[in-house]
């Protein structure tokens, strides 16, 4: 008898290991803790987590982006003392959302949670979140700062408190989900619910939960528990204005069904600011006696240069070009923007000749130029 070619090894009877292992060889809960310069908090996080989880079977995964303070090395040292602790050490990458996604995808545990490393998230909540998840059969349990009894802004400055409330309101509109704290950085999710969403998530930015909600489009069964957000104990927050831009870019991206990339908003805003730089330079140069033609050309170079550096600092800070790469990137940027400028003027003139309103023609031309500049810069200088 010849071997049946339709049968693969997957069809052969397998030796079962199940009998020799406990029902859950993998821990039931994986706690993902993203870190950037959190050395001083790691041991305390572990102590609080262990105390909070009692006899639950868990693992803790620190995801560190090569913090200069050596967080990863300490996390590994702790991992050698306590096998429940692991560290994913990422190089050449930055970003809270991406770190969380990578942590989630690196565990086999059926239930996963994210918690900050700075002790602003009350670890004793983990037990309550897990109970709620099991009892209600929910896909997602959010530790919410905003429901009755929770305190929203204790750990925040006035400005951060305001920004937080505003973005929460926008996020509720954008996700169409009525959760009280769509911007929470503290939540628990079943891997079965997370994994199908993962390919649609953006790795840029801070707002992983918002992204999960927006990507799931109301399909998750959600529960909430409340807590009060406390002040940071050690180190400093990594939240900055760029995160607000990333967030607005993410909303735009989600509302466009993924057509507009997350970074486009930041890129376009810098481009608009470039017009101001251009006009200011033009004013200074003509006032100091340059002919208009020369002043205009120099102002354009200055504006492109400042746009390049601003994008390198903010829009693409996770892919920042340094040294020689920054210099050649700048020259490439000049070339790309010049072509972008020609297509802008070409398209706008075409529309104008075909009796489109001059402002609409001008706007469409600028948009085409911006999309060109963005797409090419994204593909050439700042590609992944
Ligand atoms: N791996 C990695 N990479 N970790 C990061 C990065 C990064 O680029 N940036 C920040 N982290 C880690 C920090 O070390 C900390 O453990 C956690 O992510 C949160 O960062 P913070 O800088 O402390 O953020 P925050 O307190 O201003 O904001 C947090 O709380 C908000 C309210 O719940 C975040 O969790 C927000 O997402 C959340 O909205
Ligand atoms: Mn924090």
């Amino acid at each position: 008898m010849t071997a049946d070619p339709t049968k693969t090894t997957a069809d052969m009877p397998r030796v079962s290991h199940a009998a020799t292992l406990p029902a859950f060889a993998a821990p039931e809960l994986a706690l993902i803790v993203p870190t950037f310069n959190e050395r001083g908090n790691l041991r305390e996080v572990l102590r609080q987590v262990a105390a909070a989880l009692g006899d639950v079977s868990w693992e803790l995964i620190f995801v560190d982006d090569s913090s200069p303070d050596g967080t990863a090395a300490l996390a590994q040292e702790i991992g050698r003392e306590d096998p429940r602790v692991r560290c994913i050490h990422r190089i050449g990458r930055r970003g809270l959302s991406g770190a969380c996604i990578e942590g989630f995808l690196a565990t086999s545990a059926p239930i996963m949670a994210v918690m900050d490393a700075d002790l602003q998230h009350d670890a004793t909540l983990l037990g309550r979140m897990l109970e709620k998840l099991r009892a209600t059969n929910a896909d997602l349990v959010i530790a919410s700062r905003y429901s009755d009894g929770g305190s929203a802004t204790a750990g925040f400055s006035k400005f951060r408190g305001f920004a937080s409330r505003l973005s929460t309101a926008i996020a509720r509109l954008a996700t169409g989900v009525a959760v009280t704290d769509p911007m929470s950085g503290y939540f628990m999710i079943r891997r079965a619910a997370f994994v199908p969403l993962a390919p649609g998530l953006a790795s840029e930015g801070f707002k992983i939960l918002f992204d999960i909600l927006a990507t799931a489009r109301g399909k998750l069964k959600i529960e909430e528990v409340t807590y009060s957000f406390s002040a940071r104990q050690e180190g400093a927050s990594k939240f900055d204005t760029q995160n607000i831009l990333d967030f607005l870019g993410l909303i735009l991206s989600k509302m466009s069904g993924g057509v507009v990339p997350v970074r486009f908003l930041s890129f376009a805003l810098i481009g608009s600011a470039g017009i101001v730089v251009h006009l200011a330079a033009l004013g200074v140069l003509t006032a100091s006696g340059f002919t208009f033609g020369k002043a205009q050309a120099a102002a354009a170079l200055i504006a492109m240069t400042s746009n390049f550096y601003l994008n390198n600092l903010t829009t693409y800070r996770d892919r920042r070009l340094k040294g020689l790469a920054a210099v050649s990137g700048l020259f490439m940027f000049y070339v790309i923007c010049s072509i972008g400028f020609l297509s802008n003027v070409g398209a706008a003139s075409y529309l104008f000749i075909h009796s489109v309103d001059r402002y609409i023609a001008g706007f469409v031309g600028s948009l085409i130029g911006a999309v060109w500049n963005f797409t090419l810069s994204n593909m050439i200088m700042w590609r992944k």
Side-chain angles (χ1 to χ4, degrees):
M1 196 182 99
T2 54
D4 181 349
T6 63
K7 292 226 162 155
T8 65
T9 48
D11 301 312
M12 295 181 187
R14 269 182 272 176
V15 183
S16 173
H17 297 284
T20 57
L21 290 171
F24 267 125
E28 180 182 16
L29 173 70
L31 183 60
I32 311 304
V33 180
T35 57
F36 195 79
N37 285 343
E38 302 287 1
R39 216 185 138 83
N41 291 322
L42 295 194
R43 286 193 188 274
E44 183 57 18
V45 167
L46 174 60
R47 197 192 63 74
Q48 292 189 7
V49 167
L53 285 173
D55 52 13
V56 173
S57 129
W58 54 270
E59 70 174 331
L60 193 168
I61 305 176
F62 290 111
V63 186
D64 185 69
D65 289 351
S66 298
S67 304
D69 76 347
T71 302
L74 178 62
Q76 285 149 1
E77 189 183 315
I78 296 173
R80 283 189 289 273
E81 298 158 8
D82 188 333
R84 296 172 299 187
V85 176
R86 290 198 280 139
C87 173
I88 298 178
H89 182 176
R90 307 199 308 165
I91 48 177
R93 269 172 298 168
R94 266 305 298 277
L96 180 51
S97 290
C100 294
I101 294 168
E102 225 161 290
F104 281 152
L105 294 176
T107 176
S108 317
I111 300 174
M112 321 188 287
V114 183
M115 191 179 89
D116 289 353
D118 56 6
L119 311 169
Q120 284 187 286
H121 293 158
D122 175 3
T124 60
L125 234 66
L126 287 168
R128 270 172 59 203
M129 291 162 84
L130 187 60
E131 265 164 38
K132 192 136 200 176
L133 196 99
R134 288 171 177 157
T136 62
N137 211 23
D139 296 311
L140 173 67
V141 176
I142 303 171
S144 166
R145 297 164 291 169
Y146 290 86
S147 335
D148 294 341
S151 111
T153 49
F156 277 168
S157 66
K158 260 203 177 132
F159 170 70
R160 218 19 232 286
F162 170 75
S164 175
R165 281 173 191 284
L166 181 70
S167 52
T168 299
I170 299 174
R172 267 185 226 161
L173 286 175
T175 61
V177 187
V179 297
T180 37
D181 191 2
M183 317 301 284
S184 174
Y186 193 13
F187 60 92
M188 194 174 278
I189 188 167
R190 289 185 193 274
R191 66 173 299 105
F194 174 80
V195 172
L197 302 176
L201 302 176
S203 60
E204 301 95 347
F206 249 51
K207 299 307 174 191
I208 173 82
L209 177 61
F210 167 80
D211 200 358
I212 288 174
L213 295 172
T215 307
R217 292 172 188 278
K219 281 194 204 108
L220 298 176
K221 180 167 163 27
I222 303 170
E223 290 288 333
E224 300 182 66
V225 299
T226 63
Y227 78 110
S228 82
F229 192 58
S230 45
R232 206 178 222 283
Q233 322 259 318
E234 284 265 339
S237 169
K238 282 91 211 171
F239 182 90
D240 56 26
T241 39
Q242 179 63 29
N243 293 126
I244 299 177
L245 260 187
D246 286 345
F247 173 63
L248 294 175
L250 181 61
I251 290 183
L252 191 68
S253 172
K254 289 292 155 184
M255 294 202 313
S256 68
V259 174
V260 180
V262 178
R263 294 174 205 264
F264 183 72
L265 187 73
S266 173
F267 191 90
L269 283 180
I270 288 173
S272 315
I275 298 173
V276 179
V277 172
H278 182 107
L279 294 180
L282 185 66
V284 171
L285 291 168
T286 45
S288 21
F290 286 90
T291 61
F292 181 80
K294 280 189 182 142
Q296 169 73 353
L301 268 182
I302 292 170
M304 283 189 283
T305 310
S306 90
N307 282 4
F308 176 82
Y309 279 106
L310 287 176
N311 277 314
N312 201 35
L313 277 177
T314 60
T315 314
Y316 294 102
R317 65 173 169 179
D318 55 332
R319 303 179 191 170
R320 193 173 292 162
L321 303 173
K322 291 176 186 142
L324 219 58
V327 178
S328 63
L330 175 63
F331 281 94
M332 200 58 217
F333 193 67
Y334 290 152
V335 174
I336 290 170
C337 291
S338 308
I339 302 173
F341 175 75
L342 292 179
S343 48
N344 168 352
V345 175
S349 312
Y350 176 85
L351 291 174
F352 184 70
I353 294 167
H354 289 78
S355 56
V356 172
D357 176 81
R358 73 175 88 170
Y359 293 111
I360 296 179
F363 178 76
V364 172
S366 309
L367 198 64
I368 289 175
V371 169
W372 164 271
N373 291 350
F374 174 76
T375 310
L376 274 276
S377 302
N378 214 28
M379 266 168 48
I380 299 175
M381 290 95 73
W382 288 295
R383 68 170 173 272
K384 253 193 193 152

